[in-house]
Structures are given as structure tokens and as C-alpha cells.
């Protein structure tokens, strides 16, 4: 039975347990995040006009965290990066969860703003570290086979988190301490991530040939380099710069869709609780559809069609989706666009984007990757919203702005093709 399952998923002999550990790791991480995501989205949708400031605060938080993570990578070896990072994420989450339930009035809104900004750091840092560890442990060829099955675990974790929040919002609408309860559950799952990171490293070592295995001395030794080396490497490498630009194009679409969605949600729903339930249901539907893609398409596309076409999936959906939303700015069109775009992201483009780092240096897998995944990502967030605000204030019409977003999103297709070629060239030299 196990051999049949491995063959169906395109795994080589012995890789089933490795893929399972990776999937469980990603399951715990995304369940931890999706327990909290509906709260964040609800706080953001409460006042869409405040979103530019919220995203600017989020960007500032990611910039502040990046040097701390760079120092961690420089000082400690692979074996200690995951425990320190995930436990730190858990502690801050618990503190903010307590603040949400113990404050009121202006203090509660301040806690909500801090939580909104923090959860983005939580998500991007945790997910970036997870995929960096996978790229480090698996290498290029194995990653193309395993990233699809591993992504399934993340989708199931996201579904679990969304389902728990959805049921809790309906069954326990008056539970005042719900945010702290979710924070406790999230922190507990992050501790599970620590244990699974260690198990994943051991299993990866067991499958490697003695000549290619990361020996214990190297695993415990600091990766080294400067604290801000990630910024320098992205600036100097066309390949890494291309990945950063692709992320900026992607997140511009995500942020403007989020902003437009928040405004539609404000008119459609009256309270934070109702919005939280809607967001949770959208998450559940998205993850169910994504699961089918990851089970039956992700690995096949990455291995047979290529990384470039997989990267192009999101820009194509974004270009078409914004054009459709321009014609019909309804709740149904918004929900359909959001679901399809996130399916393309998590089912195809995200695994392909993570595979790009399998052909980079050890230092780039952690430092440069975090710069791309956090600073470029949240910088694109903030820039997109402030650019929209400035253009509207300057008299640019909403229709003209939407047409510009459609054209900008199409640039992602070009970047996807260039990155696909760069990945192929680096693979040949590996």
C-alpha cells in the first residue's frame, strides 16, 4: 500500500516518510496561522481607509525583524534556527493575544493594529523559514517531487484552522476570550513545528548518501555572513533580484485585491463577527480546491511543464481577474477571483517560487530568501496602497487605476518566463 501511494505521488522509494514529515510540519504551521488569520482580516476590514497605514506598519515590522533573523542565521547553525524562531513567534503571539482580550476602547484598537502587523510577520517569517529548510534538506530534484505532496499538508492545516474558527464563531459567538484561546492553540502548534523540524532533518540525513549528507559539524556550525548580507545578495544577483520583483508584482495584486475586497465587505457585512465567518468560509473553499491541485497537478507541472509556467499561473489569473472585477465589482465576483487566485498561488506558483531557492547558496536559502519573502513582500504591500491613495488623490479615476493594475500584473508573466530560464541554467550547473 505504501509503495502504491508513493508511486501515485511520484515519490522515489523511501521518500514517503520524508514527505509525510514535511507535510505534517507545514500542516502545523499553517494551522497555527489560519487560527488567527480571520481575526486579522476582520480587524483590517473594520476600517478600509486605515489599510495604507496598517500595511506601512507591517512593512516597518518586517524590516525590524529581518536583521534579527539575519543575526540568528549568522550566529547559529541550522539545528538551532527553527527552534529559536518558532518559539519567539509563539511568545509574541501569546502576548498580543492577551492584550486583545484585556484591553478596551482605544487600547483595544491599538492591540488590534499591533496584532494585524504582527500576524503578517508571523506568517511570512514562519513560512519562509519552513521552505528554506525544505530547500536546504531536499535539493533541487527532490524538491520538484516533494513540494507538491508537502504543500498538501499546509492546505489541510489551513482548512483545519479555518474550520475551527468558523465553528467557534457560530457556536461560541459570545466567547470574549476567543482571541487568546486561538493564540494559545497557535503557540502550541508552533512548538510542534520545532519537533517536526528536528525529525525532518534526521530523516533527510538518513536518505542521503554519505558523500552528500550534511554532517553534524556543518549542521551545528553557524552559516555565517553579515547580518544584512541578504539585502546585499539580492541587490547583486540578477536571479535574486528577479525573484524579488516577481514577489512585488504578485503582492501588488494581492494587496489591491485585499483593499478592494475590504471595501466591498464593509458595505456587505455589518460586524467583525460576520466578516470573520465569511473570511473563514472563503479560506475553507480555497483550501479544498487547492488540495485537489496539489494532489494531482503540482508535482507533474513542476517536473514536466516547468517552473516558469507554474510561476505564470498567478499573474495570468490576476490579469483576468482584475479585468473581470472592473466590469462587475460584486461580492460574488470578488469571492470567485479571490478563490481562483489563491488556488493558483498555493497550488502552482508558490511551490514553483520556493523551488527557485533550491539552486542558491546556503546563506541565500535563509537570509536572501527572508529579504524576498518579508521585506520585498511587505514593501510591495505598502507601496501599492500608498501609490493607489496618491493616484486617487491626484485625480486618477478608479477605472484607469484598475486598467493600470491589469497591465502591471501582466509583467509577472514576463518575469515568470525569465525566472524559469534562470532556474534551468542554474540547474544545469549544479
Amino acid at each position: 500500500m505504501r509503495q502504491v501511494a508513493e508511486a501515485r505521488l511520484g515519490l522515489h522509494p523511501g521518500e514517503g516518510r520524508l514527505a509525510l514529515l514535511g507535510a505534517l510540519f507545514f500542516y502545523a504551521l499553517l494551522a497555527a496561522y489560519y487560527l488567527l488569520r480571520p481575526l486579522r482580516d476582520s480587524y483590517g476590514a473594520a476600517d478600509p481607509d486605515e489599510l495604507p497605514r496598517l500595511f506601512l506598519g507591517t512593512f516597518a515590522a518586517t524590516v525590524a525583524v529581518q536583521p534579527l533573523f539575519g543575526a540568528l542565521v549568522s550566529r547559529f547553525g541550522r539545528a538551532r534556527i527553527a527552534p529559536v524562531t518558532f518559539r519567539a513567534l509563539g511568545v509574541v503571539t501569546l502576548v498580543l493575544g492577551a492584550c486583545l482580550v484585556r484591553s478596551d476602547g482605544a487600547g483595544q484598537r491599538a492591540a488590534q493594529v499591533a496584532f494585524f502587523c504582527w500576524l503578517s510577520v508571523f506568517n511570512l517569517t514562519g513560512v519562509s523559514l519552513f521552505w528554506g529548510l525544505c530547500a536546504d534538506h531536499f535539493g533541487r530534484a527532490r524538491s520538484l517531487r516533494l513540494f507538491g505532496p508537502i504543500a498538501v499538508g499546509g492546505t489541510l492545516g489551513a482548512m483545519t484552522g479555518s474550520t475551527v474558527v468558523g465553528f467557534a464563531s457560530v457556536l461560541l459567538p459570545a466567547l470574549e476570550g476567543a482571541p487568546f484561546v486561538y493564540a494559545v492553540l497557535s503557540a502550541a502548534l508552533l512548538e510542534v513545528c520545532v519537533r517536526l523540524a528536528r525529525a525532518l532533518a534526521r530523516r533527510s540525513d538518513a536518505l542521503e548518501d554519505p558523500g552528500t549528507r550534511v554532517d553534524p559539524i556543518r549542521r551545528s556550525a553557524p552559516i555565517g555572513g553579515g547580518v544584512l548580507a541578504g539585502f546585499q545578495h539580492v541587490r547583486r544577483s540578477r536571479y535574486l533580484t528577479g525573484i524579488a520583483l516577481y514577489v512585488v508584482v504578485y503582492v501588488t495584486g494581492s494587496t489591491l485585491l485585499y483593499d478592494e475586497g475590504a471595501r466591498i465587505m464593509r458595505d456587505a457585512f455589518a460586524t467583525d463577527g460576520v466578516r470573520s465567518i465569511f473570511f473563514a468560509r472563503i479560506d475553507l473553499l480555497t483550501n479544498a480546491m487547492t488540495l485537489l491541485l496539489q494532489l494531482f497537478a503540482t508535482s507533474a507541472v513542476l517536473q514536466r511543464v516547468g517552473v516558469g509556467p507554474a510561476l505564470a499561473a498567478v499573474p495570468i489569473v490576476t490579469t483576468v481577474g482584475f479585468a473581470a472585477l472592473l466590469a462587475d465589482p460584486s461580492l460574488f465576483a470578488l469571492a470567485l477571483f479571490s478563490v481562483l487566485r489563491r488556488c493558483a498561488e498555493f497550488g502552482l506558483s508558490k511551490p514553483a517560487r520556493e523551488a527557485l531557492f533550491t539552486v542558491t547558496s546556503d546563506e541565500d536559502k535563509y537570509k536572501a530568501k527572508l529579504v524576498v519573502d518579508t521585506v520585498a513582500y511587505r514593501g510591495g504591500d505598502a507601496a501599492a496602497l500608498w501609490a493607489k491613495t496618491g493616484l486617487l488623490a491626484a485625480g486618477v479615476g478608479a477605472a484607469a487605476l484598475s486598467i493600470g493594475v491589469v497591465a502591471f500584473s501582466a509583467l509577472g508573466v514576463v518575469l515568470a518566463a525569465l525566472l524559469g530560464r534562470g532556474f534551468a541554467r542554474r540547474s544545469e550547473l549544479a
Side-chain angles (χ1 to χ4, degrees):
M1 181 67 70
R2 186 179 65 186
Q3 288 80 1
V4 172
E6 289 181 349
R8 288 279 181 89
L9 294 173
L11 308 181
H12 288 188
E15 289 182 341
R17 187 179 299 177
L18 184 65
L20 178 60
L21 284 170
L24 289 173
F25 188 172
F26 205 22
Y27 173 91
L29 178 58
L30 285 200
Y33 170 65
Y34 273 84
L35 281 168
L36 305 174
R37 178 187 164 102
L39 289 173
R40 171 189 180 269
D41 288 343
S42 179
Y43 298 153
D47 186 3
D49 294 332
E50 195 180 0
L51 282 178
R53 290 185 292 275
L54 289 176
F55 279 97
L56 186 61
T58 300
F59 174 61
T62 58
V63 171
V65 166
Q66 202 284 328
L68 297 176
F69 187 82
L72 173 66
V73 174
S74 297
R75 184 173 180 180
F76 298 113
R78 294 164 174 79
R80 296 187 63 185
I81 294 173
V84 173
T85 301
F86 288 124
R87 284 169 178 161
L89 293 176
V91 169
V92 177
T93 299
L94 286 172
V95 170
L96 289 178
C99 291
L100 287 171
V101 300
R102 295 180 66 87
S103 57
D104 53 20
Q108 185 174 59
R109 184 54 187 168
Q112 291 175 350
V113 169
F115 184 85
F116 183 99
C117 297
W118 166 251
L119 196 61
S120 297
V121 175
F122 173 118
N123 177 42
L124 293 178
T125 303
V127 172
S128 179
L129 175 57
F130 168 78
W131 286 114
L133 290 168
C134 288
D136 197 5
H137 290 316
F138 299 165
R140 180 186 59 83
R142 184 172 286 162
S143 294
L144 296 179
R145 294 194 303 274
L146 299 189
F147 277 9
I150 286 173
V152 169
T155 300
L156 292 174
M159 293 173 67
T160 300
S162 301
T163 302
V164 169
V165 174
F167 278 112
S169 299
V170 173
L171 299 176
L172 301 170
L175 182 60
E176 296 181 356
F180 184 67
V181 172
Y182 296 149
V184 171
L185 293 174
S186 181
L189 287 167
L190 289 174
E191 182 60 30
V192 173
C193 289
V194 172
R195 310 303 172 90
L196 288 170
R198 292 170 176 165
L200 186 69
R202 290 193 298 268
R203 183 59 185 170
S204 177
D205 287 348
L207 287 180
E208 294 293 345
D209 295 329
T212 59
R213 182 183 300 131
V214 179
D215 62 77
I217 296 178
R218 182 186 169 204
R219 187 174 298 284
S220 61
I223 292 177
V227 170
L228 300 178
F231 290 97
Q232 298 167 353
H233 290 196
V234 170
R235 180 175 58 85
R236 294 171 183 170
S237 167
R238 291 184 180 180
Y239 183 71
L240 295 174
T241 299
I243 300 175
L245 290 175
Y246 175 88
V247 168
V248 168
V249 172
Y250 161 74
V251 77
T252 297
S254 297
T255 302
L256 294 180
L257 176 59
Y258 186 91
D259 179 62
E260 183 64 23
R263 297 175 191 282
I264 295 174
M265 297 288 181
R266 179 184 57 184
D267 297 333
F269 303 115
T271 66
D272 287 347
V274 177
R275 281 192 293 267
S276 293
I277 294 172
F278 180 81
F279 280 123
R281 289 174 177 171
I282 287 293
D283 286 342
L284 185 60
L285 176 61
T286 299
N287 291 317
M289 293 178 62
T290 301
L291 181 63
L292 296 176
L293 271 176
Q294 292 167 338
L295 281 172
F296 300 109
T298 302
S299 295
V301 170
L302 290 178
Q303 294 181 82
R304 299 172 189 174
V305 181
V307 168
L311 288 169
V314 165
I316 291 172
V317 172
T318 303
T319 302
V320 175
F322 270 116
L325 199 60
L326 176 63
D328 179 25
S330 65
L331 186 63
F332 173 78
L334 171 70
L336 181 61
F337 181 17
S338 298
V339 169
L340 292 178
R341 188 175 189 274
R342 287 164 60 188
C343 285
E345 164 67 359
F346 298 118
L348 294 172
S349 295
K350 178 66 173 176
R353 198 167 82 217
E354 301 304 340
L356 295 175
F357 285 93
T358 62
V359 291
T360 63
S361 68
D362 289 348
E363 192 173 8
D364 287 341
K365 286 181 176 69
Y366 294 97
K367 294 182 181 178
K369 188 176 189 309
L370 192 71
V371 170
V372 170
D373 290 344
T374 60
V375 178
Y377 196 106
R378 287 310 174 199
D381 267 342
L385 280 181
W386 282 102
K388 177 182 178 180
T389 301
L391 289 171
L392 290 175
V396 177
L401 185 62
S402 297
I403 293 172
V405 173
V406 170
F408 187 68
S409 298
L411 290 177
V413 179
V414 178
L415 288 168
L418 294 175
L419 287 171
R421 293 176 186 173
F423 176 80
R425 285 194 299 270
R426 284 174 170 246
S427 298
E428 292 173 357
L429 296 174

